[in-house]
Amino acid sequence: RAKAQHGGGACFYQANMDAAVRERRRLSSALRHALEDGQISLFYQRQVTAGSGRLCGHEALMRWHHPERGWVPPADFIPLAEETGLILPLGEWALRTACADAKAEPRLGKVAVNLSPVQFRQAGLAALVATVLAETGLPARRLELEITESSLMQDPVRTLEVLREIKALGVSVAMDDFGTGHSSLATLRAFSFDKIKLDRSFVPEVDSNPQARAILRAVVGIGRGLGIPVLAEGVESASELACLRDEGCAEMQGYLFGRPAPLTALDLAAPAAAA
Ligand code: C2E
Ligand code: MG
Ligand code: MG
Ligand code: MG
């Protein structure tokens, strides 16, 4: 649906800009109704231990199915939800739904839920987590919250305080997308994370490229020094798996073990691909 036609005299660039702005406005107004209209759901992707390939948990990943547009990728709607504040109701819904699903289906194991930096700016995040655990009856040890370092950039003192409150509940905290930010190492030093999730951009070529392998080795070494297990994201091949295991990654997640899927479509009984 190209909006090529534009008022006389306006340059092509301006026309494209206007079209992009209008498209964003349309998408955010559609997103406003998506939750109540039942268009938002959670998919789950398995996480396995590196050694035995045993299932240890699942990451909950938000999905939006728009009646006309079809599946809208998280990369398109999560940033929009953050800018508009819609991530607050969406994030709360994801937390509640993931905890309820995990309570109803013990074979999910530990469930990992992504938190947006915006959620840290709202008062009472730790209280919300406590309430959701109480309401759903999920034991705190079965919940993990994933945060990216951008959460810690805005208001580090306050964010660290909230993270401590969350950990005090017995919930674990994972550092997501490790290695992609501006101050990953400083962030690691500021808070004792329970897990480091090595960003999936570091996984391709660990089996063929010495630079990639050296970075992997260094990150695992940092984790070992700090006593924090490293999970590798985006593992797609058996040879990547072999390298990651050799270098000492504790856990893995990726298409090799399973794609994100609705709860009802998960193969919870099947052994992991590389068991
Ligand atoms: P993330 O938290 O780093 O999630 C991992 C992403 O990697 C997911 O993308 C997943 O589908 C993808 N992935 C997993 N294994 C593989 C693989 O083997 N190869 C490749 N190429 N990709 C793989 P997805 O589902 O598109 O989500 C993208 C991002 O959107 C997430 O990155 C997360 O930052 C955000 N997101 C998703 N759900 C939520 C949510 O409920 N709340 C918040 N705040 N953010 C969310
Ligand atoms: Mg994540
Ligand atoms: Mg990640
Ligand atoms: Mg990521």
Side-chain angles (χ1 to χ4, degrees), residues 95-96 122-134 162 165-166 169:
L95 178 66
R96 191 167 268 119
Q122 187 191 37
L125 178 58
L128 173 67
V129 173
T131 302
V132 168
L133 288 173
V162 176
E165 288 170 25
I166 287 172
L169 298 171

Side-chain angles (χ1 to χ4, degrees), residues 154-220:
Q154 314 252 349
D155 187 351
V157 176
R158 196 177 124 63
T159 305
L160 287 173
E161 182 57 38
V162 176
L163 285 178
R164 276 187 213 103
E165 288 170 25
I166 287 172
K167 266 195 90 157
L169 298 171
V171 172
S172 57
V173 181
M175 184 173 185
D176 204 356
D177 301 343
F178 182 80
T180 56
H182 297 289
S183 61
S184 305
L185 297 177
T187 306
L188 270 190
R189 202 172 67 168
F191 182 74
S192 49
F193 287 91
D194 300 286
K195 188 182 289 181
I196 295 170
K197 296 191 76 179
L198 177 66
D199 190 73
R200 66 181 151 88
S201 60
F202 295 100
V203 170
E205 299 188 8
V206 283
D207 47 348
S208 57
N209 176 324
Q211 276 89 352
R213 182 106 179 199
I215 289 170
L216 165 66
R217 187 169 297 166
V219 173
V220 173

Side-chain angles (χ1 to χ4, degrees), residues 228-263:
I228 308 174
V230 174
L231 177 149
E233 300 189 304
V235 183
E236 295 185 0
S237 76
S239 74
E240 288 166 359
L241 162 66
C243 289
L244 293 159
R245 183 190 273 155
D246 286 352
E247 294 296 344
C249 282
E251 294 177 17
M252 321 237 170
Q253 181 181 342
Y255 295 166
L256 180 64
F257 309 100
R259 296 201 172 232
L263 181 63

Side-chain angles (χ1 to χ4, degrees), residues 1-20:
R1 269 164 285 164
K3 288 274 186 293
Q5 258 52 271
H6 196 267
C11 69
F12 187 62
Y13 174 76
Q14 183 61 44
N16 278 338
M17 283 277 288
D18 291 352

